[in-house]
Amino acid sequence: MRMIRNSFTGFLALVLSINICTAQVRSVKKTDFGASFILDKGVMNLYLLNNDLVEVKYTSLDKIPKKKSLVVLPVKSYLKIFSVKENSDNVVITTSKLKIKVNKKTNAVTYSDLNNDVILAEADAVNKQIRDTTVAGINTYACSTSFQSPKDEALFGLGCHPLDSLSINYKGRNQDMAIKYLTGAIPVMLSSKGYGLLWDNYAESKFYGDENNNTQYTYVSESGKMVDYYFFYGPSFDHIMDLYRNLTGVAPMYPKWAFGLFQSQDRYKSQQEVLSVKDNYRKNHIPVDVIVQDWFYWSPAPIGSHIMNPERYPDPKAMVDELHKAHIHAMISIWPCFGKGTKDYDQLKKAGYLSSVTWDNFFVHTIDTYYDAHNPGAREMYWDQARDSLIKRYGWDAWWVDQCEPDTKDPNDRKKANFYTGKGIDYFNTYSLEHTKGIYTHWRRDIPKKRIFLLARQAFAGQQRNAATLWSSDITTTFAAFKNQIPQAINACVSGIPYWTSDIGGYISYTSPEGIPDWSTPTQRELFTRWFQFGAFSPIFRIHGKGERALFSKNWDEKTKSILLKYDDLRYRLLPYIYSLSSEVTRDNYTIMRSLAFEFRNDPAVYNIPDQYMFGPAFLVNPVTQQLYSGDHANQLGSTRKVYLPKSTEWYDFWSGKKFDGGQTIDAAAPIDIMPLFVRAGSIIPMGPVMEYATQKPADNIELRIYPGADGHFTLYEDENNTYNYEKGEFATFTFSWNDKAKELSISARKGSFPGMLKNRTFKIVMVKENVGTGVQETEKVDKIIKYNGREVKVKL
C-alpha cells in the first residue's frame, strides 16, 4: 500500500480530534421525502427511498447544495408510509423495516431493525464533517463520515485495486479511493452485519478502516460541499445488491458469445495475423468466440485517427466478415485520447470538446489529449467519429475501452481541469462512468439490434448499467500478481460490478525483453495453466497480454495444451448454467462471482478467506495461486491447497464425486490439471455439449447433474442470444426443483417464448455420487432420461 497523502492524514486527524463541535438538532420537519433537520451548524435531510433504503445529506452550509448525481438514477418517488416522532433525546423515523434514530445532541444517525437491534450507527462525537481545505491550489471543502464498527464485523467491496496484496476484508485497514493507473475506486461497501453503503462523492477519497482501536471506520473525500451517502438494509447481500442496482442502474444482458473464450494479444499487427488466429482455432477445433484487435492498428497515424493502417489492414470489413463466417466475434480497442494532426482532433477542438487533461504517449513521444467525457455534446461527437470510422463501418461487435482513468503523469492536472460538469477535483473518479455512458447510450440508439459488450480498464459506481466489464488492467506475469487477482475480483463484484475479468497469464513481464515472458518455460506454463483455470470460472473468460499464448500455440507442450483444452471445454459445457445466471444478473440483480459472505454471511470463518468464492449458487471455486510444480522449490511444496468448506451444508468434490461435511478445512488435491472445485449439496447443474462456439449447437440435449443432500432449484433461461428482444418479454424459462426427502425432480411448465425457441428437448438426469457424474466429460450411464415438451414433469429418482 502506498503511503497516504499528508493532506488526508492531516484532515483525518483534525476531524477525529474534534469532540465538542458536533452539530445539534434545533428542529425537524416531516416532508414528502422523509425528514429535514435544522442544525445549529448546518442542515441535514434524510430521504426515504424505500422501507430499507435511506439517503443522508448533510452540510455545514446554510442549505443543501443542488446536485445532479452521476451515479444514482433520477428518483421517481419516495416512501409514502412512515412516521416521524420525537422524544427528549432522539428523533425516530420508522418504516416497515427500519427504525432510524437521530441523536439531537450530535445529529448521529443510528439504523436499527424493528426489534431495536442496531444494524449500523454513525460515530457519536464526530460523525459527519465539512471543513475548509485547499487541494492542488483549489479552495474547497473536505468531507467525512465516521461509523461505529463492532470488532467482529467484516467489510467488503470498495472496488478493484489490482496491486493490493492485503486481505479481502477491509476491517482494520485503509484503502486509497482514487481512480488512477493500476488502482480503482468504487465507493460501495457491504458489511457482514447485513447493510451496505454508497458514498455519492466523486473526488479522490480515502477509507480508514482501523479507527478508535478498530471500533470505527471513516470515509474521507478531499472535496465536496456536503456529505451524501446511501444506507441499504439487507440483511442478505443479494437484497442489498438488488436495492443498489435498482438505485444506480440494472446491468443489461450480454450476448451469449460474450461468455465464451476471448482470444487477445498485445498485439496483432495485421489483417493476415488476425485471420491466422481464426484459422488456427477453427482448424484445431478449439472453442473460442472472440478475437480482439488491440492498439496501434492506426500506426503510424496519431492515436484517435480512427483508421486501420491500409498497408497492414487492406480490407477491415472483409476481415471482420471472415471472422463472422467462422462464428467468431470481433472486438477492437478504441481510446478516449487524441493526437494532434487528425481531423477528429481538430473537430473536437473546434467544438470545445477537448479537455486540458493529457497523456504523455511514451511510445511515440507525443502529448495526446483526452476529450471531455463529462460533456454530452463531446460524447455524441466522439461516438459519431468512432461509429462512422470503425464500429458500424466494419461491423465490430465489441469495444475495448482502454485508458479511461484517464492516465496522467500528475493527478493534479486532472483536479485542475475544467470539465463540463465542474472542476476536475470534484469529478476525479467519474471519467470512465461518463465515457462508457456515451458509448452505451449511442450504441443502443444507432445499433439497436446487436447487444453491446464493453471492456473497461476502470469502473465507478453505477457503471454496470453501461454494459461495462471491468478488467484489472496491466498486471504482471507473476504468481504474486495472479494471487492478488482473486480478492480483487471478489471485491469488485461485491461493489456492484457483475462482470469482471483479468488478463489470463498477466499482461507484462518487467524482467523480460520488451515485456514478453518466455511462455515455453515450465514456470510460465504453470502460471498460465493455473490462471486459465481461474479464468474459466470468472464472469468473463479472456486471454490477453504480451507474447503468444493462444491455445494452439507451440509454446504449450502437449500436457499443458490438454489441460487448457479441458477447462475450455468445461466452460462451454457450463454455458447453459452461466447464461442462465447472466439473465438473473439483469432480471434479479444477481451476482455470479460471489463473495462467500453472499451465501455464508453468518459463518465468521469465511470473512478473511481471500481466494475462495462461489460461482453462481453451485460451485465453490478455489484457485491454486502457489507455484507447486516448477521452479527451485517444486518438490518441496506438496500438491494440495487448503480449502475451507463452509458450514450448514454438505459439499461434493466436482472431480471425484466424494462427499464432505461443511464447517471444516481440508487439504484438497491440486495436481497441475486440477483446480479444486466443490459443489454444494442441493445443486442442479445443466451441462450442454462440447462446442467450438457458444451457439454452435442447440441445447436440445442437456445433462442435468443433481447433487443430493438438500432441496434445490435452478431456472434455465433462453432467448435469441444477441438481440434486445428480451426487454420486450421475448424469452423463456423453466425451473428444475429437487425434493431431497422425496427424491423427486420437478420440471416446471415453460414460461414465455421467443422466435426460434426449442419446443422439445431431452434431459439426461445424473444423480452425482462418488465416481459418478464427475468432471468434464459427459456421463455415460445416466439415471433417467426425460423428454420435455414444455409441460410440467415430475419424476422419482
Side-chain angles (χ1 to χ4, degrees):
M1 295 288 290
R2 296 190 301 274
M3 294 295 292
I4 58 177
R5 295 172 59 242
N6 290 336
S7 60
F8 271 55
T9 307
F11 178 69
L12 182 66
L14 173 66
V15 297
L16 293 180
S17 68
I18 300 170
N19 55 20
I20 59 173
C21 296
T22 52
Q24 298 183 9
V25 175
R26 284 183 174 175
S27 65
V28 60
K29 177 183 177 182
K30 185 178 180 181
T31 69
D32 291 340
F33 58 75
S36 181
F37 295 80
I38 302 298
L39 312 177
D40 62 355
K41 301 178 186 68
V43 292
M44 179 173 71
N45 287 347
L46 269 61
Y47 302 82
L48 304 180
L49 289 90
N50 209 326
N51 292 310
D52 41 17
L53 172 53
V54 182
E55 180 186 15
V56 176
K57 289 183 177 180
Y58 161 81
T59 183
S60 58
L61 305 177
D62 293 336
K63 60 181 180 180
I64 299 292
K66 291 183 178 180
K67 172 184 173 182
K68 181 180 179 180
S69 177
L70 300 185
V71 170
V72 175
L73 299 177
V75 176
K76 296 179 180 179
S77 63
Y78 292 97
L79 189 67
K80 301 298 183 185
I81 301 175
F82 63 95
S83 65
V84 178
K85 297 180 179 180
E86 289 188 66
N87 57 42
S88 58
D89 298 321
N90 298 293
V91 176
V92 182
I93 304 169
T94 304
T95 76
S96 63
K97 292 185 178 180
L98 293 173
K99 287 185 178 180
I100 306 155
K101 299 178 183 178
V102 178
N103 187 298
K104 289 185 174 181
K105 291 183 179 180
T106 66
N107 80 77
V109 183
T110 298
Y111 305 89
S112 303
D113 63 20
L114 297 183
N115 295 320
N116 291 313
D117 293 325
V118 174
I119 305 163
L120 173 66
E122 293 180 353
D124 288 328
V126 182
N127 43 73
K128 299 177 289 292
Q129 290 288 314
I130 305 291
R131 290 291 170 198
D132 295 337
T133 188
T134 301
V135 179
I138 303 165
N139 294 327
T140 185
Y141 299 93
C143 52
S144 71
T145 52
S146 296
F147 297 89
Q148 297 178 29
S149 179
K151 290 192 175 182
D152 63 346
E153 184 174 30
L155 303 169
F156 307 99
L158 298 182
C160 180
H161 308 272
L163 303 183
D164 186 352
S165 60
L166 298 177
S167 164
I168 193 170
N169 180 359
Y170 280 100
K171 176 68 172 174
R173 69 186 185 98
N174 301 339
Q175 181 62 61
D176 290 321
M177 296 295 288
I179 291 181
K180 304 174 187 177
Y181 181 57
L182 282 170
T183 184
I186 303 174
V188 176
M189 188 176 72
L190 273 63
S191 165
S192 61
K193 297 299 181 181
Y195 68 84
L197 292 171
L198 160 66
W199 288 274
D200 195 18
N201 180 291
Y202 319 137
E204 181 174 349
S205 302
K206 181 83 176 186
F207 175 81
Y208 296 90
D210 185 15
E211 302 305 318
N212 197 18
N213 296 319
N214 205 19
T215 63
Q216 187 172 305
Y217 60 80
T218 299
Y219 193 90
V220 182
S221 296
E222 70 175 12
S223 185
K225 293 181 179 179
M226 66 178 169
V227 167
D228 187 359
Y229 76 85
Y230 292 79
F231 167 86
F232 310 87
Y233 177 51
S236 75
F237 276 23
D238 278 312
H239 185 59
I240 296 169
M241 197 56 58
D242 184 45
L243 291 170
Y244 168 77
R245 294 220 197 109
N246 284 333
L247 181 74
T248 63
V250 170
M253 283 196 73
Y254 283 150
K256 194 171 188 178
W257 55 257
F259 299 100
L261 177 65
F262 284 63
Q263 174 58 50
S264 183
Q265 182 176 310
D266 181 2
R267 59 189 164 87
Y268 300 130
K269 298 180 180 181
S270 69
Q271 179 171 331
Q272 181 181 4
E273 188 175 11
V274 169
L275 294 178
S276 73
V277 175
K278 177 263 296 182
D279 291 340
N280 276 296
Y281 266 98
R282 286 294 176 250
K283 75 180 182 182
N284 288 290
H285 304 288
I286 300 172
V288 72
D289 265 275
V290 188
I291 292 176
V292 182
Q293 176 63 64
D294 201 357
W295 61 345
F296 278 105
Y297 52 83
W298 55 79
S299 180
I303 190 170
S305 57
H306 296 332
I307 63 171
M308 303 193 75
N309 183 314
E311 293 183 3
R312 294 182 287 120
Y313 301 88
D315 193 341
K317 187 176 189 310
M319 178 183 73
V320 173
D321 288 346
E322 285 298 308
L323 294 179
H324 289 166
K325 288 177 185 177
H327 303 281
I328 292 175
H329 292 81
M331 181 164 77
I332 188 168
S333 174
I334 307 177
W335 291 39
C337 49
F338 294 80
K340 296 178 181 179
T342 68
K343 64 177 180 59
D344 292 340
Y345 174 95
D346 292 341
Q347 185 183 21
L348 287 162
K349 183 178 180 180
K350 183 177 180 180
Y353 290 158
L354 292 176
S355 75
S356 61
V357 180
T358 59
W359 175 50
D360 184 357
N361 189 336
F362 54 90
F363 295 95
V364 295
H365 308 293
T366 58
I367 302 298
D368 303 324
T369 305
Y370 289 88
Y371 87 104
D372 182 1
H374 292 85
N375 188 319
R379 293 195 297 266
E380 176 87 33
M381 184 175 289
Y382 176 85
W383 163 257
D384 289 348
Q385 292 172 348
R387 176 198 62 202
D388 295 342
S389 298
L390 291 169
I391 293 295
K392 200 169 182 180
R393 179 180 182 184
Y394 300 138
W396 294 94
D397 304 295
W399 186 316
W400 185 353
V401 186
D402 208 339
Q403 193 89 347
C404 56
E405 289 85 7
D407 184 15
T408 53
K409 186 175 290 186
D410 184 356
N412 283 341
D413 291 343
R414 287 165 57 188
K415 296 176 184 179
K416 295 175 182 178
N418 293 308
F419 293 129
Y420 175 85
T421 45
K423 207 71 178 174
I425 190 173
D426 292 313
Y427 296 93
F428 190 84
N429 286 330
T430 50
Y431 192 92
S432 64
L433 174 65
E434 294 298 278
H435 181 40
T436 55
K437 172 185 177 180
I439 301 170
Y440 174 74
T441 55
H442 292 116
W443 183 299
R444 289 298 305 265
R445 182 194 67 191
D446 294 345
I447 312 176
K449 296 182 180 180
K450 181 192 288 189
R451 294 183 200 170
I452 181 175
F453 177 90
L454 300 180
L455 177 68
R457 196 164 84 179
Q458 289 292 352
F460 195 65
Q463 199 163 313
Q464 73 281 348
R465 65 178 180 255
N466 298 337
T469 287
L470 171 62
W471 117 83
S472 59
S473 195
D474 299 342
I475 47 183
T476 60
T477 56
T478 62
F479 276 92
F482 171 38
K483 183 177 181 179
N484 291 345
Q485 299 312 294
I486 292 87
Q488 295 311 313
I490 296 167
N491 270 331
C493 293
V494 173
S495 306
I497 299 296
Y499 296 113
W500 179 96
T501 187
S502 63
D503 294 348
I504 292 178
Y507 172 68
I508 190 171
S509 169
Y510 288 114
T511 60
S512 304
E514 298 183 350
I516 303 173
D518 184 354
W519 289 106
S520 67
T521 64
T523 292
Q524 295 306 129
R525 285 174 176 170
E526 181 178 0
L527 173 66
F528 188 83
T529 298
R530 291 306 197 187
W531 211 319
F532 193 81
Q533 293 167 349
F534 165 63
F537 284 85
S538 295
I540 301 299
F541 184 29
R542 174 181 152 273
I543 297 170
H544 179 67
K546 292 184 177 290
E548 175 59 73
R549 57 184 94 174
L551 299 194
F552 56 77
S553 172
K554 294 180 180 179
N555 284 325
W556 313 130
D557 58 10
E558 288 305 312
K559 180 179 179 181
T560 299
K561 190 174 293 185
S562 68
I563 298 170
L564 300 178
L565 293 178
K566 169 181 172 179
Y567 282 84
D568 199 15
D569 285 343
L570 178 56
R571 175 74 176 204
Y572 277 79
R573 287 211 67 199
L574 288 174
L575 281 179
Y577 175 81
I578 296 169
Y579 192 61
S580 295
L581 294 179
S582 79
S583 79
E584 292 189 32
V585 170
T586 299
R587 296 185 300 132
D588 301 318
N589 294 316
Y590 187 72
T591 300
I592 298 175
M593 193 175 205
R594 303 168 68 75
S595 160
L596 296 182
F598 269 93
E599 306 286 348
F600 309 103
R601 184 175 58 85
N602 295 318
D603 184 352
V606 309
Y607 294 167
N608 294 300
I609 298 176
D611 57 356
Q612 296 180 225
Y613 60 94
M614 295 296 293
F615 190 71
F619 287 98
L620 176 66
V621 183
N622 313 278
V624 180
T625 60
Q626 188 174 21
Q627 185 176 356
L628 298 177
Y629 298 100
S630 59
D632 296 336
H633 306 290
N635 297 320
Q636 304 171 27
L637 298 173
S639 59
T640 62
R641 71 146 285 174
K642 298 287 185 184
V643 170
Y644 175 70
L645 301 174
K647 62 184 181 181
S648 304
T649 188
E650 296 175 310
W651 297 92
Y652 288 82
D653 185 326
F654 175 77
W655 303 107
S656 71
K658 185 177 179 181
K659 195 173 182 181
F660 294 85
D661 290 331
Q664 62 171 322
T665 299
I666 65 170
D667 292 313
I672 188 62
D673 65 323
I674 294 295
M675 177 178 68
L677 292 170
F678 292 85
V679 180
R680 182 161 49 177
S683 295
I684 302 171
I685 299 177
M687 299 182 72
V690 172
M691 298 181 289
E692 293 181 30
Y693 55 93
T695 58
Q696 182 184 22
K697 299 175 184 178
D700 57 352
N701 199 318
I702 286 180
E703 178 179 337
L704 200 67
R705 294 188 184 179
I706 298 174
Y707 294 78
D711 294 344
H713 68 274
F714 187 84
T715 298
L716 194 75
Y717 171 95
E718 293 179 319
D719 63 14
E720 294 175 307
N721 300 322
N722 197 28
T723 74
Y724 285 102
N725 290 335
Y726 73 87
E727 294 179 341
K728 303 173 185 176
E730 293 185 12
F731 61 88
T733 63
F734 47 90
T735 299
F736 306 103
S737 298
W738 171 247
N739 185 315
D740 196 63
K741 184 176 181 180
K743 304 303 178 192
E744 182 179 77
L745 174 69
S746 301
I747 308 176
S748 72
R750 182 171 50 227
K751 295 180 180 179
S753 65
F754 60 92
M757 180 185 71
L758 279 174
K759 295 183 178 180
N760 299 288
R761 67 184 75 220
T762 300
F763 295 112
K764 298 178 178 179
I765 313 302
V766 179
M767 299 294 292
V768 176
K769 57 186 177 182
E770 194 160 2
N771 299 319
V772 175
T774 61
V776 179
Q777 300 304 314
E778 293 185 23
T779 304
E780 294 183 2
K781 188 176 180 180
V782 303
D783 291 280
K784 200 89 171 180
I785 295 178
I786 298 176
K787 300 292 184 179
Y788 179 74
N789 61 8
R791 297 188 181 92
E792 183 181 19
V793 176
K794 291 186 178 183
V795 294
K796 291 278 189 176
L797 292 162

